[in-house]
Amino acid sequence: MPKSRSTHFSRRGLIAAGGALGLVAALTACGGSDAAKGDGGKDKGAAASGPWSFKDDLGKDVTAKSTPKNIVAFTGTAAALHDYGIHVKGVFGPTKTADGKADVQAGSMDISKVEILGNVWGEFNVEKYAALQPDLLVTNTWDGTLWYVPEESKDKITGLAPAAAISVGGDATLDKALARTADLAKSLGADMNAKTTVDAKARFEAAAAKVREATKANPGIKVLVGSGSPDLFYASTPKTSADLKYFESLGVEFAIPEKLDEGGFFESLSWENAGKYKADVILLDNRTGTLQPNDLKAKPTWAELPAVKANQVIPRVTEPIYSYEKCAQILEDLAKSIQSAKKVS
C-alpha cells in the first residue's frame, strides 16, 4: 500500500499506489531489545555504548559497533521513532507537500529539521545520504524489499550503512508492527517506561476495545477500503495489510474484492463500475497523490455510492505511523465511525 498512483506501474510502484503487500512475517527482536534492560530490570532503553544489534523482519542480524546515532529512515518510520523520542538525521518518502507543509506521513516531526533525501517514489539522493555519515537506515517492508529504497541504487545505499526493516505486510498485523517498531526504538535508546509511551499504549488498547464494542453494538456494517485515481477506483482486500487484518480481528466486516490484480492487493475498477461492491462505510486512502472526497465530487458514480450519499466516508491512514499514539487515534476514529454508521447498502 505504497506510493502515488501517478507514476509508472512497476510491480512495487503499483503496490505503492494503494495496494497492500508483504510476504514476510514479523519476527521476534533480539540483541538491543534485551540489552536495553538494566537497573534491576527497569527498561531505560539501549546502553549508551558498546555493540548494538537488532534482528529485523527480513531475518537479518543488523549490527553496529555502538548504538546508531546518525539514523536515516523512511518518513513514516521516522515519524514513529520520533514519537518515542528517537530523532533521525534524514528521511526519504512523502515528507513535504507541494505547498511546503508536512505530509500526513511525517506525523509530529518538524520536517525543517531533517534532510529530505527524496520526497516521491523513486527519489533518493545517495550523495546527500553519504554526507550524513549514516550509522543506520530504517524502513518498512511489504514484500521483503526495503520500502521506498530504489532498486537501482539499493546496493549503493545499503553499502553505506546497515539497514533494518519492519514488516507491515504479509503475516504482520497492526499490533505486531507496533510491537516491532517499539522494539527497534527501545534498542536505539527509547525509554519505554516514559509516561507518554505507557499512556499511549494504554490508549491504544482501550481504543481496540472500543472497536470491538462498536462492531458488536452495530453488527452487519460493511466497510469498503478504496483509493481513487483519475481513471480508476481501487478496492483493496483486507488480507494483505497489517492495519486491515487487525481491524478484521476486532470484528470489522469488509467488502472483499473478488478479482484482485497481480500480487493480490486490490481490484482495479473503472469509475463506471465503482459501485460493484456494496458498502455502508468507505475507508478512503488519505495519502498525498490520491483523490480525496472534494476531488471525487466530479465523478458521478462516486456521488451515487450509498456510503457517499450517507456521508459515511472516512479517511484511511493507508500507511500508518507505527507508534501507539498515532494508531490509537486511528482506532478511536474507526470505532466512532462504525458505532454511528447506518446500514445503507
Side-chain angles (χ1 to χ4, degrees):
M1 233 155 341
K3 151 185 176 178
S4 161
R5 299 181 187 278
S6 60
T7 58
H8 80 280
F9 286 168
S10 65
R11 181 171 179 271
R12 293 182 76 217
L14 187 60
I15 298 163
L21 173 64
L23 300 174
V24 183
L27 304 176
T28 56
C30 74
S33 196
D34 291 334
K37 294 179 180 178
D39 191 21
K42 186 175 181 180
D43 179 7
K44 288 191 175 182
S49 61
W52 174 88
S53 68
F54 180 81
K55 189 160 190 170
D56 80 346
D57 290 347
L58 297 178
K60 296 186 305 178
D61 289 308
V62 186
T63 62
K65 291 181 180 179
S66 60
T67 303
K69 299 299 181 187
N70 290 348
I71 303 166
V72 172
F74 168 65
T75 303
T77 313
L81 293 176
H82 176 275
D83 287 350
Y84 291 113
I86 303 298
H87 305 295
V88 305
K89 298 288 186 180
V91 296
F92 54 95
T95 307
K96 183 185 293 187
T97 59
D99 60 4
K101 295 179 181 179
D103 188 275
V104 293
Q105 294 192 55
S108 302
M109 283 194 303
D110 182 346
I111 62 172
S112 69
K113 295 183 178 179
V114 293
E115 184 76 49
I116 301 174
L117 306 178
N119 199 54
V120 298
W121 183 259
E123 255 185 20
F124 193 114
N125 191 312
V126 180
E127 288 73 23
K128 284 185 177 181
Y129 179 58
L132 291 175
Q133 298 182 305
D135 299 321
L136 178 69
L137 180 144
V138 182
T139 187
N140 294 333
T141 182
W142 294 82
D143 61 348
T145 59
L146 298 173
W147 188 234
Y148 263 82
V149 174
E151 191 64 31
E152 59 273 16
S153 54
K154 180 191 69 175
D155 291 344
K156 288 182 181 179
I157 293 166
T158 56
L160 291 168
I166 300 296
S167 181
V168 297
D171 291 338
T173 53
L174 183 66
D175 53 340
K176 288 181 181 179
L178 279 167
R180 292 294 287 132
T181 303
D183 284 341
L184 176 61
K186 176 181 171 184
S187 79
L188 293 170
D191 180 2
M192 306 313 288
N193 284 328
K195 187 177 186 304
T196 54
T197 298
V198 172
D199 289 350
K201 188 172 183 180
R203 179 185 170 192
F204 173 82
E205 291 168 350
K210 289 177 183 177
V211 176
R212 288 193 190 94
E213 292 166 4
T215 59
K216 289 178 180 178
N218 196 7
I221 295 298
K222 194 74 74 173
V223 178
L224 175 65
V225 181
S227 184
S229 75
D231 299 321
L232 296 169
F233 180 67
Y234 301 87
S236 292
T237 175
K239 305 300 182 183
T240 52
S241 62
D243 60 331
L244 301 181
K245 283 188 293 182
Y246 186 66
F247 298 166
E248 222 175 16
S249 75
L250 299 177
V252 177
E253 297 181 38
F254 287 101
I256 309 294
E258 300 166 352
K259 297 180 179 179
L260 300 179
D261 293 357
E262 182 181 359
F265 318 120
F266 48 82
E267 181 175 353
S268 299
L269 301 171
S270 66
W271 278 108
E272 290 76 11
N273 294 314
K276 179 177 179 179
Y277 299 106
K278 304 303 179 186
D280 306 297
V281 173
I282 295 175
L283 275 176
L284 185 67
D285 189 346
N286 77 331
R287 289 174 298 171
T288 303
T290 64
L291 299 185
Q292 300 306 305
N294 283 340
D295 307 314
L296 292 169
K297 288 179 180 178
K299 304 289 185 184
T301 51
W302 169 260
E304 291 303 312
L305 297 178
V308 177
K309 286 184 174 181
N311 197 30
Q312 294 181 170
V313 178
I314 61 174
R316 180 199 174 194
V317 183
T318 305
E319 292 188 63
I321 293 168
Y322 288 96
S323 72
Y324 287 106
E325 174 191 325
K326 297 298 189 294
C327 289
Q329 185 66 58
I330 291 172
L331 291 182
E332 289 167 355
D333 292 343
L334 180 63
K336 289 177 183 177
S337 298
I338 297 293
Q339 190 170 27
S340 62
K342 295 177 182 179
K343 188 72 178 172
V344 295
S345 63

